[in-house]
Amino acid sequence: MASSQKPVDLLITGGTFVTMNPARDVLTDSVLVIDQGKFLWIGDRSTAFELFEPAQEIELSCEVVIPGLINVHGHWAMALFRGLVDDCALEDWLSMIWKVEAEVISEETVATGSRLAMLEMIRSGTTCAADMYWHYVVTTEAARKAGFRMVNGPSFADIEGFEEYRNTNQAIALDYLDEYQDVPLVHPCIQAHSAYMTNLDILSLVGKIARDRNLLFITHAAESKGEMDMVRQKYGKTPIEVLDAAGLLGDRTLLAHCVHLSDDEITLLGETGTSVAHCPSSNLKLSSGIARVAEMIKAGVNVAFGTDGAASNNDLDLFHEAQLAALVQKGVTGDPSVLPAEKVFSMLTIAGAQAVGLAEKIGSIEVGKLADLAILDFDVPNLTPCYDHYSHLVYAISAGDVCHVMVEGQFLMRNREMQTLDEAEIMEKAREIARTIRKI
Ligand SMILES: [Zn+2]
């Protein structure tokens, strides 16, 4: 019999699998087989050992295995600016951040900032994240080398003072999109910073590239009252109306924030299949407002979570984001039944995958999907006892409970130790950059 067993890379036995498959199965006494970077098989223990001969086996007990979390909106390298500018409104915050960026942003500092962000995201169970920032090729390469899954692409903007490396160079953008169209772990997209930071020419160009190449399009929209005024002055419309008129809403569009929407705009996002990146920490901290998430979900809008940059959050911990979102929506609607825990956890996983156009590949533990997962230690006081896994995953967990993280079959963190990134070196480089920033 032994000779008929199929050799496979890894077998995970025991523990609990919160699969997030369409049936929302939560499995115990099961075995998950991983091979060639994919989930190959899931089933009972005795059959697993008849069928497979694993190169490696992990035996779990109290641990919980979840699909890796998906951070659908962020600015990774801004981890360098965490805690630098707090307690002011978006417009003042932006002008201070842009001043610092103009002084310190380079390929080298972006690489360090991006690696710092990945460390924090991996430590909090994230396996895939979108980015929008300068020197996007540098960040993409940093992610690829770290084995971290990334959604990234040129972000068109028209910002005075950034001519040297502004991302409006179409030829460079198209080269990137060609080069990364079939590279493992890299999922190219096209982005525009926002309606207020671009113009109709840029939006039309970005729309054409997105349509020609069937790419995900990401932009900021309706984040703050100040932005609403600026866009109305510039276009005579709201940000959503501008994007709609430019043909930029649809099921390949992801809008960050959407705090200030009319009822009709919520309906429109639902009807067009547009996704929203909800970033509650950033929206609250900058007093941008509170997105009407419960109403968006009711209207059929796909809502997932983004941390936004660490300069406005100030962390990249998606568990924290999810807990905050659930509590705030219950508080502002006066209805404790909105955003129940299972729904919120789906927003961290499968809805995130849908938001970045990867629902066929990631977001759940299902046979055939890429092996992106996190393993959580539930043998801790804050998760004991456990009546309902979704409840703990939203209301009680903390980033420190994440013990292993895998992307496409490769461990990026094992027993809380980084496997592909040199944590001490990255943090030292970040401190070095901070010494320069302090002098600005
Ligand atoms: Zn943002």
Side-chain angles (χ1 to χ4, degrees):
M1 286 299 287
S3 61
S4 65
Q5 288 171 312
K6 179 181 165 56
V8 291
D9 294 337
L10 176 67
L11 223 135
I12 301 176
T13 69
T16 303
F17 297 92
V18 177
T19 64
M20 299 314 287
N21 66 9
R24 296 289 188 264
D25 289 321
V26 176
L27 306 171
T28 51
D29 298 321
S30 296
V31 170
L32 176 65
V33 177
I34 292 168
D35 193 50
Q36 314 259 328
K38 288 187 174 175
F39 298 123
L40 180 72
W41 190 89
I42 190 159
D44 70 87
R45 193 181 168 88
S46 56
T47 315
F49 284 95
E50 273 170 33
L51 294 174
F52 303 105
E53 190 186 343
Q56 216 188 125
E57 189 187 332
I58 295 179
E59 179 111 38
L60 303 177
S61 54
C62 275
E63 291 92 341
V64 171
V65 185
I66 59 169
L69 308 185
I70 301 168
N71 187 349
V72 303
H73 182 69
H75 312 280
W76 296 9
M78 292 184 90
L80 295 170
F81 309 136
R82 185 201 319 270
L84 182 67
V85 190
D86 291 332
D87 310 322
C88 64
L90 176 66
E91 293 71 24
D92 298 333
W93 178 89
L94 269 177
S95 66
M96 287 166 89
I97 288 288
W98 281 337
K99 187 178 153 212
V100 176
E101 284 181 332
E103 296 275 338
V104 299
I105 288 300
S106 67
E107 292 196 355
E108 207 185 338
T109 56
V110 167
T112 298
S114 298
R115 290 193 178 102
L116 182 64
M118 279 189 281
L119 289 173
E120 189 184 356
M121 288 193 281
I122 294 165
R123 284 209 171 276
S124 46
T126 297
T127 54
C128 174
D131 190 40
M132 180 195 280
Y133 208 59
W134 312 106
H135 299 301
Y136 51 93
V137 181
V138 170
T139 305
T140 298
E141 277 306 294
R144 199 182 58 76
K145 284 181 189 142
F148 190 85
R149 189 175 306 289
M150 169 165 226
V151 177
N152 200 13
S155 173
F156 285 63
D158 192 8
I159 303 174
E160 215 179 307
F162 284 76
E163 286 76 10
E164 195 187 329
Y165 41 74
R166 73 189 197 188
N167 297 343
T168 43
N169 189 318
Q170 194 183 342
I172 296 172
L174 294 178
D175 279 353
Y176 173 93
L177 296 171
D178 284 340
E179 199 173 319
Y180 287 100
Q181 64 179 336
D182 203 17
V183 174
L185 301 171
V186 181
H187 305 280
C189 65
I190 185 94
Q191 318 191 62
H193 180 276
S194 56
Y196 68 98
M197 276 303 175
T198 56
N199 52 54
L200 286 176
D201 288 344
I202 292 179
L203 292 176
S204 138
L205 169 69
V206 167
K208 182 173 170 5
I209 296 172
R211 278 189 298 277
D212 287 353
R213 293 167 179 252
N214 193 28
L215 288 171
L216 174 72
F217 164 66
I218 306 179
T219 192
H220 293 108
E223 179 177 0
S224 72
K225 287 221 169 73
E227 173 198 339
M228 303 303 284
D229 293 342
M230 269 191 278
V231 173
R232 193 162 285 284
Q233 255 179 12
K234 189 168 179 173
Y235 301 90
K237 293 185 168 110
T238 68
I240 300 298
E241 286 167 351
V242 172
L243 294 169
D244 188 31
L248 283 166
L249 300 181
D251 62 3
R252 301 286 283 164
T253 291
L254 169 59
L255 305 180
H257 303 299
C258 290
V259 173
H260 300 279
L261 300 183
S262 68
D263 293 351
D264 287 348
E265 288 174 335
I266 290 178
T267 305
L268 181 64
L269 296 188
E271 282 172 357
T272 54
T274 305
S275 287
V276 169
H278 179 40
C279 312
S281 292
S282 176
N283 297 156
L284 287 167
K285 186 160 176 282
L286 294 165
S287 291
S288 300
I290 296 168
R292 295 158 67 191
V293 176
E295 287 162 90
M296 282 194 252
I297 288 170
K298 210 170 160 192
V301 181
N302 181 55
V303 185
F305 289 114
T307 54
D308 214 356
S312 67
N313 185 310
N314 289 2
D315 63 62
L316 303 178
D317 174 1
L318 278 175
F319 282 125
H320 177 232
E321 217 60 26
Q323 186 193 64
L324 184 64
L327 300 182
V328 166
Q329 290 299 310
K330 290 169 200 298
V332 295
T333 59
D335 179 358
S337 72
V338 299
L339 268 72
E342 183 191 313
K343 174 67 190 173
V344 175
F345 192 63
S346 78
M347 293 161 68
L348 285 171
T349 52
I350 191 66
Q354 190 186 328
V356 293
L358 297 173
E360 303 293 313
K361 294 180 176 170
I362 56 172
S364 58
I365 299 175
E366 288 182 79
V367 169
K369 282 198 173 183
L370 296 166
D372 293 6
L373 56 78
I375 301 179
L376 315 169
D377 181 7
F378 264 48
D379 190 19
V380 289
N382 57 303
L383 304 175
T384 302
C386 181
Y387 304 106
D388 178 284
H389 290 91
Y390 297 116
S391 172
H392 279 7
L393 288 167
V394 172
Y395 300 120
I397 199 143
S398 72
D401 302 321
V402 180
C403 43
H404 314 284
V405 170
M406 170 186 282
V407 173
E408 212 161 312
Q410 182 189 18
F411 278 107
L412 305 191
M413 182 168 80
R414 198 151 186 187
N415 296 316
R416 297 188 173 83
E417 292 281 330
M418 288 295 151
Q419 304 295 299
T420 59
L421 289 164
D422 187 333
E423 195 161 34
E425 188 192 321
I426 294 162
M427 290 198 294
E428 187 43 46
K429 279 189 179 169
R431 288 186 198 106
E432 178 90 41
I433 296 164
R435 282 191 272 277
T436 310
I437 293 173
R438 282 196 186 95
K439 291 179 196 149
I440 296 170

